[in-house]
Each structure stands twice: as C-alpha cells, then as structure tokens.
Short mmCIF file of all heavy atoms in Angstrom, two decimals:
data_model
loop_
_atom_site.label_atom_id
_atom_site.label_comp_id
_atom_site.label_asym_id
_atom_site.label_seq_id
_atom_site.Cartn_x
_atom_site.Cartn_y
_atom_site.Cartn_z
N VAL A 5 7.86 -16.88 1.13
CA VAL A 5 7.32 -15.56 1.72
C VAL A 5 8.26 -14.44 1.64
O VAL A 5 8.05 -13.42 1.35
CB VAL A 5 6.77 -15.85 3.16
CG1 VAL A 5 6.23 -14.50 3.74
CG2 VAL A 5 5.72 -16.87 3.22
N ARG A 6 9.56 -14.70 1.90
CA ARG A 6 10.66 -13.77 1.94
C ARG A 6 11.05 -13.21 0.45
O ARG A 6 11.47 -12.17 0.34
CB ARG A 6 11.90 -14.37 2.48
CG ARG A 6 11.88 -14.53 3.94
CD ARG A 6 13.37 -14.76 4.50
NE ARG A 6 14.04 -13.54 4.44
CZ ARG A 6 15.27 -13.36 4.33
NH1 ARG A 6 16.19 -14.36 4.34
NH2 ARG A 6 15.88 -12.05 4.19
N SER A 7 10.46 -14.09 -0.58
CA SER A 7 10.70 -13.63 -1.91
C SER A 7 9.63 -12.62 -2.37
O SER A 7 9.78 -12.03 -3.46
CB SER A 7 10.76 -14.90 -2.71
OG SER A 7 9.44 -15.35 -3.02
N LEU A 8 8.62 -12.45 -1.70
CA LEU A 8 7.40 -11.66 -2.15
C LEU A 8 7.58 -10.20 -1.97
O LEU A 8 8.32 -9.76 -1.14
CB LEU A 8 6.16 -12.05 -1.39
CG LEU A 8 5.65 -13.60 -1.50
CD1 LEU A 8 4.62 -13.80 -0.45
CD2 LEU A 8 5.19 -13.86 -2.90
N SER A 9 6.98 -9.49 -2.85
CA SER A 9 6.95 -8.06 -2.86
C SER A 9 5.49 -7.55 -3.27
O SER A 9 4.89 -8.33 -3.98
CB SER A 9 8.02 -7.35 -3.59
OG SER A 9 7.99 -7.62 -4.92
N LEU A 10 5.11 -6.37 -3.07
CA LEU A 10 3.82 -5.88 -3.54
C LEU A 10 3.85 -5.83 -5.03
O LEU A 10 4.80 -5.37 -5.65
CB LEU A 10 3.64 -4.49 -3.03
CG LEU A 10 3.16 -4.31 -1.57
CD1 LEU A 10 2.82 -2.87 -1.39
CD2 LEU A 10 2.06 -5.10 -1.20
N THR A 11 2.69 -6.36 -5.55
CA THR A 11 2.49 -6.16 -7.07
C THR A 11 2.13 -4.76 -7.36
O THR A 11 1.62 -4.06 -6.47
CB THR A 11 1.59 -7.17 -7.53
OG1 THR A 11 0.23 -6.88 -7.12
CG2 THR A 11 1.92 -8.71 -7.22
N ARG A 12 2.09 -4.46 -8.58
CA ARG A 12 1.60 -3.13 -9.00
C ARG A 12 0.17 -3.02 -8.65
O ARG A 12 -0.36 -1.91 -8.19
CB ARG A 12 1.83 -2.85 -10.50
CG ARG A 12 1.41 -1.59 -10.99
CD ARG A 12 1.66 -1.25 -12.33
NE ARG A 12 3.17 -1.12 -12.55
CZ ARG A 12 3.73 -0.88 -13.62
NH1 ARG A 12 3.13 -0.65 -14.84
NH2 ARG A 12 5.13 -0.79 -13.73
N GLY A 13 -0.60 -4.01 -8.87
CA GLY A 13 -2.08 -3.96 -8.63
C GLY A 13 -2.41 -3.74 -7.12
O GLY A 13 -3.17 -3.18 -6.76
N GLU A 14 -1.58 -4.57 -6.38
CA GLU A 14 -1.69 -4.47 -4.83
C GLU A 14 -1.38 -3.11 -4.34
O GLU A 14 -2.16 -2.45 -3.59
CB GLU A 14 -0.98 -5.51 -4.15
CG GLU A 14 -1.39 -6.98 -4.40
CD GLU A 14 -0.34 -7.92 -4.04
OE1 GLU A 14 0.83 -7.56 -3.79
OE2 GLU A 14 -0.75 -9.17 -3.92
N SER A 15 -0.39 -2.52 -4.90
CA SER A 15 0.05 -1.15 -4.51
C SER A 15 -1.00 -0.07 -4.88
O SER A 15 -1.31 0.75 -4.18
CB SER A 15 1.35 -0.85 -5.04
OG SER A 15 1.89 0.51 -4.84
N THR A 16 -1.54 -0.27 -6.07
CA THR A 16 -2.58 0.68 -6.60
C THR A 16 -3.72 0.60 -5.71
O THR A 16 -4.48 1.51 -5.38
CB THR A 16 -2.85 0.32 -8.06
OG1 THR A 16 -1.72 0.48 -8.81
CG2 THR A 16 -4.12 1.28 -8.55
N TRP A 17 -4.14 -0.58 -5.38
CA TRP A 17 -5.24 -0.84 -4.48
C TRP A 17 -5.17 -0.21 -3.08
O TRP A 17 -5.98 0.48 -2.57
CB TRP A 17 -5.72 -2.40 -4.27
CG TRP A 17 -6.73 -2.63 -3.60
CD1 TRP A 17 -8.14 -2.55 -3.86
CD2 TRP A 17 -6.79 -3.28 -2.14
NE1 TRP A 17 -8.95 -3.06 -2.79
CE2 TRP A 17 -8.18 -3.47 -1.83
CE3 TRP A 17 -5.79 -3.70 -1.34
CZ2 TRP A 17 -8.55 -4.06 -0.50
CZ3 TRP A 17 -6.07 -4.21 -0.04
CH2 TRP A 17 -7.50 -4.36 0.31
N LEU A 18 -4.06 -0.41 -2.51
CA LEU A 18 -3.74 0.23 -1.15
C LEU A 18 -3.65 1.66 -1.22
O LEU A 18 -4.22 2.47 -0.34
CB LEU A 18 -2.33 -0.30 -0.64
CG LEU A 18 -2.40 -1.81 -0.05
CD1 LEU A 18 -1.07 -2.23 0.18
CD2 LEU A 18 -3.26 -1.97 1.07
N ARG A 19 -3.04 2.33 -2.45
CA ARG A 19 -2.95 3.66 -2.37
C ARG A 19 -4.24 4.41 -2.78
O ARG A 19 -4.57 5.47 -2.34
CB ARG A 19 -1.88 4.04 -3.51
CG ARG A 19 -0.40 3.87 -3.25
CD ARG A 19 0.46 4.14 -4.34
NE ARG A 19 2.04 4.05 -3.94
CZ ARG A 19 2.61 5.04 -3.64
NH1 ARG A 19 2.16 6.30 -3.35
NH2 ARG A 19 4.00 4.85 -3.34
N GLY A 20 -5.06 3.76 -3.57
CA GLY A 20 -6.31 4.37 -4.16
C GLY A 20 -7.62 3.89 -3.58
O GLY A 20 -8.57 4.65 -3.82
N ASN A 21 -7.69 2.81 -2.98
CA ASN A 21 -9.02 2.43 -2.52
C ASN A 21 -9.50 3.26 -1.33
O ASN A 21 -8.71 3.86 -0.62
CB ASN A 21 -8.80 0.87 -2.14
CG ASN A 21 -10.19 0.25 -1.97
OD1 ASN A 21 -11.00 0.33 -2.76
ND2 ASN A 21 -10.38 -0.47 -0.87
N THR A 22 -10.80 3.15 -1.14
CA THR A 22 -11.32 3.76 0.19
C THR A 22 -11.50 2.76 1.15
O THR A 22 -12.07 1.67 1.10
CB THR A 22 -12.65 4.34 -0.37
OG1 THR A 22 -12.57 5.39 -1.28
CG2 THR A 22 -13.47 4.94 0.96
N PHE A 23 -10.94 3.05 2.33
CA PHE A 23 -10.95 2.14 3.53
C PHE A 23 -11.69 2.95 4.71
O PHE A 23 -11.32 4.06 4.92
CB PHE A 23 -9.69 1.65 4.08
CG PHE A 23 -8.90 0.93 2.92
CD1 PHE A 23 -7.93 1.58 2.23
CD2 PHE A 23 -9.04 -0.47 2.75
CE1 PHE A 23 -7.16 0.86 1.30
CE2 PHE A 23 -8.40 -1.11 1.87
CZ PHE A 23 -7.34 -0.55 0.95
N TYR A 24 -12.81 2.39 5.15
CA TYR A 24 -13.51 3.01 6.31
C TYR A 24 -13.95 4.53 5.87
O TYR A 24 -13.90 5.37 6.70
CB TYR A 24 -12.73 2.99 7.52
CG TYR A 24 -12.67 1.78 8.31
CD1 TYR A 24 -11.71 0.72 7.85
CD2 TYR A 24 -13.50 1.50 9.37
CE1 TYR A 24 -11.82 -0.50 8.56
CE2 TYR A 24 -13.54 0.24 10.03
CZ TYR A 24 -12.68 -0.71 9.65
OH TYR A 24 -12.69 -1.96 10.31
N GLY A 25 -14.32 4.66 4.58
CA GLY A 25 -14.71 5.94 4.11
C GLY A 25 -13.65 6.95 3.85
O GLY A 25 -13.98 8.10 3.47
N LYS A 26 -12.40 6.58 3.88
CA LYS A 26 -11.34 7.46 3.72
C LYS A 26 -10.43 7.05 2.58
O LYS A 26 -9.84 5.83 2.54
CB LYS A 26 -10.33 7.45 4.93
CG LYS A 26 -9.21 8.41 4.87
CD LYS A 26 -8.39 8.30 6.25
CE LYS A 26 -7.19 9.46 6.12
NZ LYS A 26 -6.44 9.32 7.45
N ARG A 27 -10.22 7.91 1.51
CA ARG A 27 -9.41 7.61 0.55
C ARG A 27 -7.90 7.94 0.91
O ARG A 27 -7.76 8.80 1.62
CB ARG A 27 -9.82 8.33 -0.76
CG ARG A 27 -9.08 7.95 -2.10
CD ARG A 27 -9.75 8.44 -3.30
NE ARG A 27 -11.04 8.03 -3.54
CZ ARG A 27 -11.43 6.93 -4.20
NH1 ARG A 27 -10.40 6.25 -4.56
NH2 ARG A 27 -12.58 6.63 -4.46
N GLN A 28 -6.94 7.23 0.26
CA GLN A 28 -5.48 7.36 0.53
C GLN A 28 -5.30 7.28 2.10
O GLN A 28 -4.63 7.99 2.74
CB GLN A 28 -5.02 8.74 0.02
CG GLN A 28 -5.06 8.96 -1.39
CD GLN A 28 -4.49 10.23 -1.90
OE1 GLN A 28 -4.89 11.28 -1.38
NE2 GLN A 28 -3.79 10.23 -2.98
N MET A 29 -5.82 6.08 2.68
CA MET A 29 -5.50 5.72 3.97
C MET A 29 -4.06 5.54 4.34
O MET A 29 -3.52 5.93 5.39
CB MET A 29 -6.32 4.41 4.30
CG MET A 29 -6.04 3.89 5.79
SD MET A 29 -6.95 4.79 7.01
CE MET A 29 -8.64 4.17 6.80
N PHE A 30 -3.42 5.04 3.19
CA PHE A 30 -1.91 4.81 3.49
C PHE A 30 -1.15 5.88 2.88
O PHE A 30 -1.33 6.25 1.56
CB PHE A 30 -1.54 3.40 3.03
CG PHE A 30 -2.23 2.33 3.67
CD1 PHE A 30 -3.37 1.68 3.10
CD2 PHE A 30 -1.84 1.82 4.86
CE1 PHE A 30 -4.06 0.70 3.79
CE2 PHE A 30 -2.54 0.86 5.43
CZ PHE A 30 -3.60 0.21 4.90
N ARG A 31 -0.32 6.51 3.69
CA ARG A 31 0.62 7.78 3.20
C ARG A 31 1.63 7.39 2.24
O ARG A 31 2.04 6.16 2.14
CB ARG A 31 1.25 8.35 4.37
CG ARG A 31 0.13 8.89 5.44
CD ARG A 31 0.85 9.92 6.37
NE ARG A 31 2.11 9.25 7.00
CZ ARG A 31 2.10 8.38 7.95
NH1 ARG A 31 1.01 8.13 8.61
NH2 ARG A 31 3.17 7.86 8.38
N SER A 32 1.91 8.26 1.48
CA SER A 32 2.97 7.99 0.23
C SER A 32 4.21 7.42 0.78
O SER A 32 4.88 6.58 0.35
CB SER A 32 3.17 9.21 -0.53
OG SER A 32 2.12 9.65 -1.25
N ASP A 33 4.77 7.98 2.02
CA ASP A 33 5.99 7.60 2.53
C ASP A 33 6.03 6.25 3.04
O ASP A 33 6.95 5.41 2.76
CB ASP A 33 6.55 8.64 3.62
CG ASP A 33 5.64 8.72 4.75
OD1 ASP A 33 4.43 8.42 4.75
OD2 ASP A 33 6.13 9.11 5.84
N PHE A 34 4.90 5.85 3.56
CA PHE A 34 4.73 4.46 4.05
C PHE A 34 4.62 3.47 2.98
O PHE A 34 5.33 2.44 2.87
CB PHE A 34 3.44 4.28 4.91
CG PHE A 34 3.11 2.85 5.18
CD1 PHE A 34 3.99 2.28 6.12
CD2 PHE A 34 1.97 2.16 4.62
CE1 PHE A 34 3.61 0.80 6.34
CE2 PHE A 34 1.77 0.90 4.91
CZ PHE A 34 2.62 0.24 5.84
N MET A 35 3.85 3.87 1.82
CA MET A 35 3.80 3.01 0.72
C MET A 35 5.07 2.83 -0.10
O MET A 35 5.39 1.77 -0.56
CB MET A 35 2.62 3.50 -0.25
CG MET A 35 1.32 3.44 0.16
SD MET A 35 0.78 1.66 0.50
CE MET A 35 1.30 0.87 -0.95
N GLU A 36 5.92 3.86 -0.19
CA GLU A 36 7.15 3.76 -0.69
C GLU A 36 8.01 2.69 -0.06
O GLU A 36 8.75 1.88 -0.63
CB GLU A 36 7.89 4.99 -0.93
CG GLU A 36 7.27 6.00 -1.97
CD GLU A 36 7.71 7.39 -1.85
OE1 GLU A 36 8.70 7.60 -1.08
OE2 GLU A 36 7.20 8.37 -2.50
N TRP A 37 8.05 2.79 1.32
CA TRP A 37 8.74 1.81 2.08
C TRP A 37 8.19 0.52 2.02
O TRP A 37 8.97 -0.55 1.77
CB TRP A 37 8.61 2.21 3.64
CG TRP A 37 9.05 1.22 4.54
CD1 TRP A 37 10.37 1.17 4.95
CD2 TRP A 37 8.30 0.27 5.25
NE1 TRP A 37 10.50 -0.01 5.79
CE2 TRP A 37 9.24 -0.44 6.03
CE3 TRP A 37 7.11 -0.08 5.31
CZ2 TRP A 37 8.78 -1.56 6.86
CZ3 TRP A 37 6.62 -1.18 6.02
CH2 TRP A 37 7.50 -1.84 6.79
N PHE A 38 6.87 0.23 1.90
CA PHE A 38 6.38 -1.02 1.72
C PHE A 38 6.54 -1.70 0.42
O PHE A 38 6.70 -2.98 0.35
CB PHE A 38 4.70 -0.94 1.97
CG PHE A 38 3.97 -2.10 2.28
CD1 PHE A 38 4.67 -3.25 2.63
CD2 PHE A 38 2.55 -2.24 2.13
CE1 PHE A 38 4.01 -4.53 2.96
CE2 PHE A 38 1.88 -3.39 2.41
CZ PHE A 38 2.57 -4.68 2.70
N GLU A 39 6.55 -0.90 -0.64
CA GLU A 39 6.76 -1.31 -1.95
C GLU A 39 8.20 -1.87 -2.13
O GLU A 39 8.47 -2.74 -2.92
CB GLU A 39 6.56 -0.24 -3.04
CG GLU A 39 5.02 0.13 -3.18
CD GLU A 39 4.77 1.45 -3.84
OE1 GLU A 39 5.54 2.29 -3.92
OE2 GLU A 39 3.55 1.74 -4.01
N ALA A 40 9.07 -1.38 -1.38
CA ALA A 40 10.51 -1.87 -1.45
C ALA A 40 10.78 -3.06 -0.47
O ALA A 40 11.84 -3.56 -0.51
CB ALA A 40 11.44 -0.69 -1.10
N LEU A 41 9.82 -3.29 0.38
CA LEU A 41 10.07 -4.26 1.43
C LEU A 41 10.23 -5.71 0.95
O LEU A 41 9.32 -6.16 0.16
CB LEU A 41 8.86 -4.16 2.56
CG LEU A 41 8.95 -5.20 3.74
CD1 LEU A 41 9.99 -4.74 4.66
CD2 LEU A 41 7.59 -5.18 4.52
#
C-alpha cells in the first residue's frame, strides 16, 4: 500500500469527473499534493 501512487487515469478521473453535479470537485493544489503522495 505504501508503494502506491495515483495513476494518470485515476488523476484524470478525479480532476475531470462530475461528482454530485459539480465538475472539478477537487482543487488543483489538492490534486498536486495527492499525486505526489
């Protein structure tokens, strides 16, 4: 689990998908942090 990081497809889905009727639910600064986590 500690070796895992977001894949490009997962990042694209989180950044671009509509959740609860809202696109870009996750802000860019948060996503940049999450992608490096």
Side-chain angles (χ1 to χ4, degrees):
V5 175
R6 291 197 67 206
S7 74
L8 296 172
S9 60
L10 284 188
T11 68
R12 180 173 295 181
E14 291 165 349
S15 179
T16 300
W17 181 73
L18 287 171
R19 284 178 177 270
N21 193 50
T22 298
F23 302 99
Y24 284 81
K26 181 179 178 180
R27 195 170 288 278
Q28 296 180 320
M29 177 73 78
F30 297 101
R31 299 191 311 275
S32 292
D33 60 340
F34 172 75
M35 286 303 307
E36 287 169 10
W37 170 85
F38 194 18
E39 287 158 354
L41 178 71

